[in-house]
């Protein structure tokens, strides 16, 4: 019997681990759904609060109506007394007593509605602040989760010998090398063109007798003859 109990305990322990694993893997989704559930309850609470406030307004009107009737009948009672009609004054007084009892009941109801309405308003405001805070936290959780997934993906890629990032790096180096060769060829062509242009210009200047002339025998002989003169 004890062995069977241990087996059942182990099964329950395994089920608990599986359940916790499922919860952990879906924690963000669960949190998001819980926020939606809270918002739904908050919406219902606002509707209920509207009903309480409507009853409060109705009760307030009843209180004011009864107060006016009390004042009105007190005037009637005074008039009856002034006319010496005590029987009529007593009947009016009984009416006033009934109204005052009703007023007491209605005032108690009004006080209750007011107290409940104020308490519910505060609870609604507190709940709205809490839901707003949970929404902010949910946004942060989602952002953190995305960053962690990206970081994990980058780490996995770098740790792999055949990672896509390494392949991309090789491709980039090949592209850069190809572009460098193209630039080198363009620069070489420019240098060659410049050299050819200088040689051509020098030949044209020489042909026109401008610039330095060749130091040949004829030029030397002409220089010596000039000295003798």
């Amino acid at each position: 019997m004890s062995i069977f109990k241990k087996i059942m305990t182990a099964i329950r322990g395994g089920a608990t681990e599986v359940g916790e694993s499922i919860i952990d893997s879906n924690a963000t989704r669960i949190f998001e759904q819980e926020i939606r559930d809270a918002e739904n309850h908050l919406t219902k609470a606002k509707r209920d609060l509207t009903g309480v406030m409507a009853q409060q307004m109705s009760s307030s009107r009843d209180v004011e109506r009864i107060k006016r009737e009390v004042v009105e009948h007190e005037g009637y009672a005074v008039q009856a007394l002034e006319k010496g009609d005590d029987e009529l004054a007593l009947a009016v007084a009984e009416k006033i007593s009934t109204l005052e009892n009703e007023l007491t009941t209605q005032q108690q109801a009004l006080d209750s509605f007011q107290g409940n309405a104020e308490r519910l308003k505060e609870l609604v405001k507190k709940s709205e602040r809490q839901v707003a805070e949970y929404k902010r936290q949910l946004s942060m959780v989602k952002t953190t989760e995305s960053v962690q997934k990206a970081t994990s993906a980058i780490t996995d890629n770098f740790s792999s010998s055949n990672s896509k990032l390494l392949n991309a790096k090789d491709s980039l180096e090949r592209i850069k090398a190809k572009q460098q060769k193209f630039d080198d060829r363009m620069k070489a062509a420019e240098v060659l063109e410049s050299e050819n242009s200088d040689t051509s210009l020098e030949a044209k200047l020489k042909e026109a007798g401008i610039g330095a002339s060749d130091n040949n025998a004829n030029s030397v002989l002409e220089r010596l003859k000039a000295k003798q003169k």
Side-chain angles (χ1 to χ4, degrees), residues 32 34-44 131 135:
E32 191 170 7
E34 287 172 342
I35 291 176
R36 284 195 292 267
D37 291 342
E39 286 182 313
N40 292 334
H41 289 305
L42 188 56
T43 300
K44 184 179 183 302
V131 168
K135 282 185 174 181

Side-chain angles (χ1 to χ4, degrees), residues 62-224:
D62 288 338
V63 167
E64 293 302 319
R65 174 184 57 79
I66 296 171
K67 285 181 178 180
R68 289 194 301 271
E69 289 186 18
V70 168
V71 172
E72 181 182 358
H73 282 78
E74 285 177 347
Y76 295 156
V78 170
Q79 292 179 36
L81 290 173
E82 289 176 348
K83 291 182 177 181
D85 193 342
D86 292 345
E87 184 178 353
L88 179 59
L90 180 61
V92 175
E94 290 177 352
K95 176 64 176 179
I96 292 172
S97 176
T98 301
L99 289 172
E100 287 178 343
N101 289 333
E102 185 181 356
L103 177 61
T104 300
T105 301
Q106 287 296 335
Q107 187 63 56
Q108 290 175 348
L110 176 59
D111 293 340
S112 177
F113 285 134
Q114 287 177 333
N116 287 330
E118 291 301 320
R119 182 175 61 84
L120 290 173
K121 284 179 184 178
E122 188 59 33
L123 285 174
V124 166
K125 290 180 180 178
K126 182 178 179 181
S127 298
E128 286 178 332
R129 290 193 296 267
Q130 190 67 62
V131 168
E133 176 61 24
Y134 282 155
K135 282 185 174 181
R136 286 193 290 270
Q137 293 295 331
L138 176 62
S139 178
M140 291 299 299
V141 166
K142 285 185 173 181
T143 301
T144 302
E145 193 174 69
S146 298
V147 171
Q148 289 177 346
K149 286 181 179 179
T151 303
S152 176
I154 292 173
T155 302
D156 292 342
N157 284 332
F158 272 117
S159 64
S160 174
S161 59
N162 296 322
S163 71
K164 293 181 180 179
L165 285 178
L166 290 177
N167 291 338
K169 183 179 179 181
D170 291 340
S171 298
L172 178 60
E173 293 300 328
R174 289 174 63 86
I175 292 171
K176 287 183 177 180
K178 182 179 178 181
Q179 291 176 343
Q180 188 62 53
K181 287 181 180 180
F182 179 82
D183 289 342
D184 291 342
R185 286 197 299 270
M186 292 296 294
K187 289 179 181 179
E190 291 174 359
V191 171
L192 181 60
E193 182 180 357
S194 176
E195 290 177 352
N196 291 338
S197 176
D198 292 343
T199 301
S200 176
L201 179 59
E202 184 179 352
K204 290 180 180 178
L205 289 172
K206 182 178 179 181
E207 183 179 351
I210 301 173
S213 59
D214 293 339
N215 190 17
N216 52 27
N218 290 329
S219 62
V220 173
L221 182 59
E222 290 297 330
R223 188 175 69 251
L224 292 175

